[in-house]
Amino acid sequence: MIRIHFTAADFARVRFAPRPAPLQELNLALGMLCRRDDPLLLGRWRQRMLRSLPRSAEPLADLVPGFRPPVFLDEFSDSLHDGLDSVRATRPTLVRSEMERVYALHGSPAPSWVRALHEGDAGAWHTLRRAQHSAFDTVLGPVWPLVQDLHRAEFTRHALTVAEHGLAGALADLLPGAQLHGSTWELPAPVDRETALGGRGLVLVPTFHWTGHPVLADLPDHPLYLTYPAGPGLPLPPAVAGTSDDALAGVLGRTRADVLLLLAEELTTSALARRLRVSNATASAHAAALRAAGLITTARAGRAVLHRRTALGTLLVRQRSGTRDRAPALPAAGPESR
């Protein structure tokens, strides 16, 4: 069980990350590659990613030889470039202490480039930056627009819960089994950890590549960051709208077939337009045609218009394409809580 103790000031300093954090999402996606639980889609995703990762990303395996990575990799900037710069700006004393901790736990000698990083070598830092950048491009680059859309939907869900039920209701509703007892927030986890915020506040960061327990990043001179699973448990697919589904396209047309495939999950008109790379007006027109045919439903939530596939639409997808649902879905696994 994770227990987070709030002061009155901390309740006023709880905030939700407005955009996803590229390096944190990458850390968790790479952590998933190290797991050995193999649901069918996870196993296929893992095999594809391991085949695709370039040699330039291999140093990351040296830097994280076990399940307790160095804390200076916990970076929550919403820009990949800024995140890489922040990692490089880590205090040398923290880099040294963390690399010594990681390799003491692992019980094996560090590779030469890691020893050079320990000593602050500029070439070793370049190796790390290139490894993180190439890993992001391979693992997350193709699905980053999906991650952004999912984050926006989760942000909206959280904001509505706060508006309707207050912060206490939102914290209790964030994860199954979460409870707020007075000034203590309890979260289910396979480890016991007590953390006092002491007035520094809390930042909530959803992740969409795993469904394990929450991960804490307790960084010096920062609020506490809590990364929590917000997806249903399978790897995000690459751009769904680019799949070839000729039978379905022959019935509906290419773009409307793509709309129907995408609407396995609920999307706003703007999110749908972004994924299709068309204007909002065009996306709305295609949605109206599918709605008139009974293949999707549309509902208004505040200022947003939400679309989702109906049971009839799902039946048509499966009959014409001969496949199962391709909606983004996300393995019940994750790194150890830090």
Side-chain angles (χ1 to χ4, degrees):
M1 182 72 72
I2 294 174
R3 295 178 178 85
I4 300 175
H5 302 283
F6 289 72
T7 65
D10 291 313
F11 282 112
R13 293 173 183 164
V14 175
R15 61 186 179 90
F16 193 100
R19 288 167 291 278
L23 286 183
Q24 182 67 354
E25 191 76 20
L26 177 64
N27 292 343
L28 294 168
L30 293 177
M32 220 166 60
L33 289 176
C34 301
R35 305 293 298 191
R36 290 297 174 262
D37 45 344
D38 271 327
L40 181 61
L41 289 181
L42 172 58
R44 290 176 179 172
W45 174 83
R46 180 183 292 118
Q47 292 170 14
R48 187 175 74 251
M49 287 297 103
L50 290 175
R51 286 195 302 267
S52 302
L53 279 171
R55 291 183 63 85
S56 57
E58 292 178 0
L60 292 176
D62 296 331
L63 198 66
V64 188
F67 287 103
R68 298 292 301 276
V71 299
F72 60 82
L73 294 184
D74 288 324
E75 173 50 49
F76 295 89
S77 298
D78 56 21
S79 154
L80 178 61
H81 183 272
D82 290 348
L84 294 170
D85 285 348
S86 293
V87 171
R88 178 62 181 91
T90 305
R91 296 197 308 269
T93 52
L94 181 59
V95 174
R96 289 195 293 269
S97 64
E98 280 298 291
M99 296 316 305
E100 290 164 8
R101 176 187 64 79
V102 165
Y103 272 89
L105 288 173
H106 190 58
S108 64
S112 58
W113 87 269
V114 173
R115 295 197 298 272
L117 186 71
H118 181 275
E119 298 305 317
D121 178 74
W125 277 108
H126 176 73
T127 296
L128 173 57
R129 186 185 187 99
R130 184 176 60 179
Q132 289 180 296
H133 206 301
S134 60
F136 179 88
D137 287 345
T138 301
V139 178
L140 293 184
V143 300
W144 194 243
L146 299 182
V147 172
Q148 291 173 310
D149 286 343
L150 290 169
H151 186 102
R152 189 174 295 106
E154 180 68 8
F155 185 97
T156 301
R157 181 185 78 85
H158 187 76
L160 289 173
T161 305
V162 171
E164 293 177 5
H165 306 290
L167 179 60
L171 293 178
D173 185 56
L174 193 74
L175 286 170
Q179 299 181 65
L180 185 65
H181 299 292
S183 61
T184 300
W185 190 28
E186 295 184 347
L187 300 160
V191 295
D192 284 322
R193 178 163 178 180
E194 302 265 346
T195 299
L197 295 177
R200 59 199 165 118
L202 174 70
V203 181
L204 303 172
V205 184
T207 176
F208 304 97
H209 274 82
W210 65 293
T211 58
H213 56 78
V215 176
L216 300 181
D218 202 347
L219 307 172
D221 306 318
H222 285 79
L224 181 71
Y225 286 88
L226 184 140
T227 305
Y228 70 94
L234 296 172
L236 288 170
V240 177
T243 55
S244 61
D245 202 340
D246 295 335
L248 189 60
V251 174
L252 299 174
R254 178 73 269 164
T255 302
R256 288 179 188 171
D258 289 340
V259 171
L260 204 57
L261 289 168
L262 286 166
L263 290 180
E265 60 167 318
E266 193 170 62
L267 293 175
T268 64
T269 301
S270 58
L272 186 61
R274 191 161 48 251
R275 295 202 196 175
L276 293 169
R277 298 181 182 177
V278 300
S279 69
N280 282 12
T282 298
S284 182
H286 286 304
L290 293 171
R291 183 170 61 251
L295 300 179
I296 71 169
T297 61
T298 299
R300 183 169 291 278
R303 299 176 65 182
V305 176
L306 301 172
H307 309 284
R308 192 176 186 95
R309 200 164 69 201
T310 63
L312 178 62
T314 297
L315 182 62
L316 180 61
V317 166
R318 292 178 179 175
Q319 286 183 335
R320 290 288 175 176
S321 67
T323 62
R324 291 191 158 197
D325 225 324
R326 296 182 185 173
L330 304 170
E336 294 297 323
S337 181
R338 297 196 284 278

